[in-house]
Amino acid sequence: MTTALAGKVAIITGGSKGIGSAITRELASNGVKVVVNYNQSKESAEAIVNEIKANGGEALAVQADVSYCDQAERLVEETKKQFGQLDILVNNAGITRDRSFKKLGEEDWKKVIDVNLNSVYNTTTAALSHLLEAEAGRVVNISSIIGQAGGFGQTNYAAAKAGLIGFTKSLALELARTGVTVNAICPGFIETEMVMAIPENVREQIVAKIPARRFGHAEEIARGVLFLCQDGSYITGQQLNINGGLYM
Ligand code: NAD
């Protein structure tokens, strides 16, 4: 395949479901060798790997809970072992544990910070030396509109996602001269399991507030990742808002 990204190697954390699976497919269909990280979703990870291989692409599923440093390190090591390089790191893994602050226990606070924010330290620190060796290394962090605007019952998630934006800008500054770009994508409400878990009446209220009057599609986030990886050599430290106009 002769696209600009052909032959590059990408890790997509939580890459087997929801937005992550759309990113995996988009990169793979542009010739990228994809490492589909999963924590518990073995079946969906294997299914997407088989689908990509059947379409002539290269893919590998690697189990790792990226909220643990040693597992993130193993994820990067297995990538290097299989594909010999690492060009693109998409930090997509995330969870919610929504509770109003009064009811938010320490465990739900810590878990959300660990999976959404500390994981990004874990994977990025493990990947950094390889990204620096790459011709045009890319880090794309999947943050959220909630990190920009806040969300009721989401102090833990908003803190983690806002933290990602600060992380993105700071690392972008440190790496700008190396050619490695670091950007965040801030999706609005995207039709995945995470959003479909919101009660229907609340979902209807959310859609009514979105200027585009619909939820986004995972593929619309995936195309943003592709753009940053393919055409983003002079774009770094940015937040790309893909939200139907909900936050400007
Ligand atoms: P999802 O629940 O469908 O997918 C999340 C993925 O992360 C899953 O594959 C899950 O297995 C994986 N994951 C969770 N914990 C993990 C861990 N410890 N280690 C490795 N993988 C782990 O959710 P989604 O909607 O596709 O969300 C993807 C990302 O986009 C998340 O970071 C989420 O916060 C963010 N986001 C989603 C929306 C939305 O509307 N869906 C909006 C803004 C931001």
Side-chain angles (χ1 to χ4, degrees):
M1 185 177 289
T2 52
T3 71
L5 294 180
K8 305 262 187 208
V9 176
I11 293 176
I12 303 98
T13 67
S16 72
K17 285 168 59 182
I19 292 172
S21 66
I23 296 169
T24 298
R25 287 193 177 93
E26 185 70 55
L27 293 178
S29 69
N30 279 274
V32 176
K33 300 171 189 173
V34 288
V35 177
V36 183
N37 158 248
Y38 67 96
N39 183 21
Q40 291 172 338
S41 332
K42 187 172 186 207
E43 271 179 28
S44 50
E46 285 176 353
I48 198 167
V49 163
N50 290 336
E51 175 194 315
I52 290 165
K53 286 182 174 169
N55 290 329
E58 288 189 59
L60 172 73
V62 178
Q63 191 284 329
D65 179 340
V66 288
S67 65
Y68 294 94
C69 242
D70 55 340
Q71 298 192 35
E73 266 170 37
R74 181 172 48 73
L75 168 64
V76 171
E77 276 165 21
E78 287 191 26
T79 302
K80 275 288 281 185
K81 201 165 126 198
Q82 176 78 14
F83 292 127
Q85 66 192 72
L86 175 60
D87 306 276
I88 298 166
L89 172 64
V90 183
N91 287 309
N92 164 78
I95 55 164
T96 50
R97 292 278 190 277
D98 294 356
R99 304 265 184 283
S100 65
F101 187 69
K102 265 187 174 174
K103 294 182 190 154
L104 182 70
E106 189 182 1
E107 197 189 320
D108 285 335
W109 170 264
K110 285 195 169 154
K111 186 74 186 165
V112 166
I113 300 290
D114 274 345
V115 174
N116 292 279
L117 182 59
N118 291 337
S119 66
V120 175
Y121 167 79
N122 297 340
T123 53
T124 310
T125 198
L128 185 59
S129 62
H130 309 303
L131 294 170
L132 288 168
E133 281 168 16
E135 198 185 312
R138 299 278 181 266
V139 180
V140 182
N141 296 320
I142 307 300
S143 176
S144 170
I145 190 171
I146 302 299
Q148 301 169 304
F152 191 94
Q154 296 194 294
T155 49
N156 48 0
Y157 185 75
K161 293 300 190 183
L164 263 186
I165 294 170
F167 174 92
T168 297
K169 292 180 181 179
S170 305
L171 188 63
L173 270 178
E174 291 187 26
L175 298 185
R177 286 198 310 178
T178 71
V180 178
T181 68
V182 188
N183 290 289
I185 292 189
C186 297
F189 289 87
I190 309 300
E191 234 168 24
T192 66
E193 272 177 34
M194 188 180 270
V195 158
M196 297 319 273
I198 300 171
E200 195 179 349
N201 62 325
V202 180
R203 272 190 277 134
E204 281 168 10
Q205 289 166 21
I206 295 171
V207 169
K209 285 189 193 147
I210 300 173
R213 290 293 185 275
R214 66 170 176 86
F215 289 128
H217 304 303
E219 293 72 23
E220 291 171 310
I221 306 304
R223 287 197 289 273
V225 174
L226 178 68
F227 167 67
L228 290 172
C229 293
Q230 195 167 260
D231 301 306
S233 58
Y234 201 56
I235 303 173
T236 198
Q238 302 303 311
Q239 301 154 68
L240 178 55
N241 297 337
I242 305 180
N243 60 26
L246 187 55
Y247 179 85
M248 298 182 183

